[in-house]
Amino acid sequence: MKETMQLLQVLDELDSTQQEAVLATVVKVEGSAYRRPGARMLIPQIGGSVGTVSGGCLEGDLIKKAWWLTEAGEPVIRTYSTGVANDEADEEEELAFGLGCNGTVHILLERVRGGQTSLPLFLLRQVQVSRVAAVLATVIASSDDSVRLAERAALDPADTLHLAVPQAALARALETDMRSVRQRQRAAWQRYRLAGGEVEVLFEYLAPPRRLVVFGAGHDAQPLVSLAQQQGWQVAVVDSRSHFARRIRFPEASQVLNLGIDQVHDLAALLESAAVVIMSHSYSQDRYWLEQALRLQPSYIGQLGPRSRTERLLDEIGPISRHFPAYERLHYPMGLDIGGDAPESVALSVLAEITAHFNERVGGMLRAREAAIHDSVPALHG
């Protein structure tokens, strides 16, 4: 998320100077690789690059070669094999292509110019501003002469269709499949058989920035807010105590709100689909905020403190508390079992659990995971 914000910031600078850049996008991965389809890197004509498409192994080669590879102005696919290098390969080839990861990474390279509309970058910006998801469909291979590499279609945050592909039948299929991807909320790929050949398309689900609402502005909330902001999350801090709910204490937060618990507040928009953490260390505050969160539709609720304390809070809210819409998303005690009691350790534990929750993972050690570390991008239709 933070990477996207940095990329858009560099794009704003390009707009002001009308500079060109090369946009590198991972569009397909076979086997093991550090980044997944949708990872992006912007290589400006002047200045340093932003973003990554690997663990730092492929970026150097791309920076050196992206400009001459796109010299004709046409998009190209650059493919890297990350298997074991040939014994006769020189050191540079071994770095670029012999990583021992036994994977293949396909990277789309295309020129973009400041001041001109690029559909992927337009969508990324709209998603950031509107906080609503979008879907981008990109042609990543085509044996049909009427459909070119990097031709695109999109479903933007306002539900407006952008259909630039020339084939009417393909455009109709893409519209249907983009709506399916938006409903599934995950990337996919699909092959389409046309009269002139096959077309392969990557569908990216462009999710809005994750949001975190922290109820409680004590000193232990500060590292949690800082760590979440480093991930590019949008963070709001809420506390009924005015001497705690101060902007100077949370300069990295998007919002710092002083809301009294003796008043009625409409928190629906603030909590919708957000991760909620309740850590005020005030029993009365925690009871109030927990009840409000349970009545609404956050994606995650974490309650700090011993299990017995949270059970007491729920009992005081009443038996209906366990029938509220969000009860199944309540985590208590919150966080992963990593040990440590310092505020920074608690922040790491809590943010790790929230990340696992959003990614539908259990948060265990990777060495115990039998499946692949990264989920593969599935075909949309069998």
Side-chain angles (χ1 to χ4, degrees):
M1 297 296 180
K2 187 172 183 179
E3 201 171 72
T4 298
M5 295 167 63
Q6 292 171 335
L7 188 148
L8 293 174
Q9 183 178 0
V10 172
L11 186 66
D12 287 338
E13 296 170 3
L14 295 182
D15 286 346
S16 64
T17 59
Q18 301 293 298
Q19 279 190 58
E20 266 194 315
V22 176
L23 179 64
T25 306
V26 177
V27 293
K28 188 175 182 179
V29 170
E30 298 161 292
S32 178
Y34 190 85
R35 300 299 307 270
R36 312 312 295 165
R40 288 183 169 83
M41 174 183 178
L42 194 66
I43 307 170
Q45 199 168 18
I46 301 173
S49 64
V50 60
T52 63
V53 291
S54 75
C57 310
L58 309 180
E59 283 75 5
D61 186 74
L62 284 170
I63 290 170
K64 287 190 294 185
K65 299 176 181 177
W67 282 90
W68 69 259
L69 286 170
T70 58
E71 190 173 13
E74 297 296 325
V76 297
I77 295 285
R78 179 73 164 168
T79 299
Y80 292 93
S81 171
T82 61
V84 177
N86 187 298
D87 291 339
E88 299 179 358
D90 63 29
E91 186 174 343
E92 181 178 339
E93 288 175 332
E94 194 164 314
L95 174 64
F97 308 105
L99 308 178
C101 298
N102 297 324
T104 303
V105 183
H106 304 268
I107 299 176
L108 173 66
L109 303 175
E110 53 192 323
R111 294 281 183 99
V112 294
R113 179 183 291 276
Q116 295 182 353
T117 301
S118 163
L119 186 55
L121 299 176
F122 166 79
L123 285 178
L124 289 172
R125 191 184 302 280
Q126 291 300 307
V127 168
Q128 290 285 322
V129 172
S130 68
R131 301 181 185 178
V132 178
V135 178
L136 176 66
T138 303
V139 174
I140 61 174
S142 175
S143 59
D144 188 315
D145 292 339
S146 69
V147 181
R148 301 170 61 188
L149 178 69
E151 286 187 338
R152 290 186 167 97
L155 188 62
D156 72 17
D159 202 37
T160 301
L161 283 167
H162 303 257
L163 296 171
V165 294
Q167 289 258 9
L170 179 59
R172 288 194 296 271
L174 291 178
E175 177 181 353
T176 298
D177 288 343
M178 285 190 295
R179 295 191 183 281
S180 177
V181 167
R182 185 172 64 180
Q183 184 175 11
R184 297 185 185 195
Q185 298 185 10
R186 60 179 302 187
W189 65 271
Q190 188 60 41
R191 287 195 183 98
Y192 301 90
R193 185 175 295 279
L194 305 179
E198 281 194 341
V199 174
E200 187 173 355
V201 174
L202 169 68
F203 294 91
E204 293 179 64
Y205 177 75
L206 304 178
R210 287 177 178 162
R211 294 186 300 114
L212 173 66
V213 181
V214 180
F215 288 104
H219 70 282
D220 56 346
Q222 291 172 315
L224 177 60
V225 171
S226 179
L227 191 57
Q229 192 276 335
Q230 289 177 36
Q231 303 300 311
W233 295 17
Q234 294 179 342
V235 187
V237 180
V238 183
D239 203 300
S240 68
R241 299 161 294 195
S242 59
H243 58 290
F244 279 162
R246 298 165 60 201
R247 167 60 66 180
I248 194 171
R249 289 173 48 79
F250 297 94
E252 297 164 311
S254 302
Q255 294 175 282
V256 180
L257 305 174
N258 176 215
L259 302 178
I261 61 174
D262 55 347
Q263 303 168 9
V264 176
H265 306 286
D266 184 0
L267 301 175
L270 181 66
L271 303 193
E272 177 72 27
S273 301
V276 170
V277 169
I278 302 169
M279 52 187 305
S280 74
H281 298 281
S282 161
Y283 192 85
S284 58
Q285 271 209 74
D286 279 9
R287 182 186 180 283
Y288 179 85
W289 300 127
L290 178 58
E291 181 174 357
Q292 301 309 304
L294 287 170
R295 289 180 179 274
L296 298 172
Q297 293 292 340
S299 291
Y300 167 100
I301 304 173
Q303 175 66 60
L304 185 69
R307 188 183 308 276
S308 58
R309 180 178 184 269
T310 302
E311 293 285 358
R312 190 161 69 251
L313 289 169
L314 292 169
D315 288 343
E316 290 189 11
I317 292 170
I320 195 174
S321 66
R322 290 169 171 79
H323 300 283
F324 284 144
Y327 177 76
E328 294 299 323
R329 296 186 286 278
L330 173 61
H331 295 243
Y332 66 95
M334 65 179 179
L336 298 185
D337 183 11
I338 63 172
D341 59 1
E344 293 78 10
S345 298
V346 173
L348 181 61
S349 167
V350 170
L351 199 65
E353 182 183 64
I354 295 172
T355 301
H357 173 80
F358 276 125
N359 292 327
E360 299 180 349
R361 296 291 185 92
V362 297
M365 293 185 179
L366 287 175
R367 70 177 184 178
R369 182 177 172 84
E370 296 182 359
I373 293 175
H374 298 292
D375 295 329
S376 60
V377 175
L380 195 56
H381 308 292

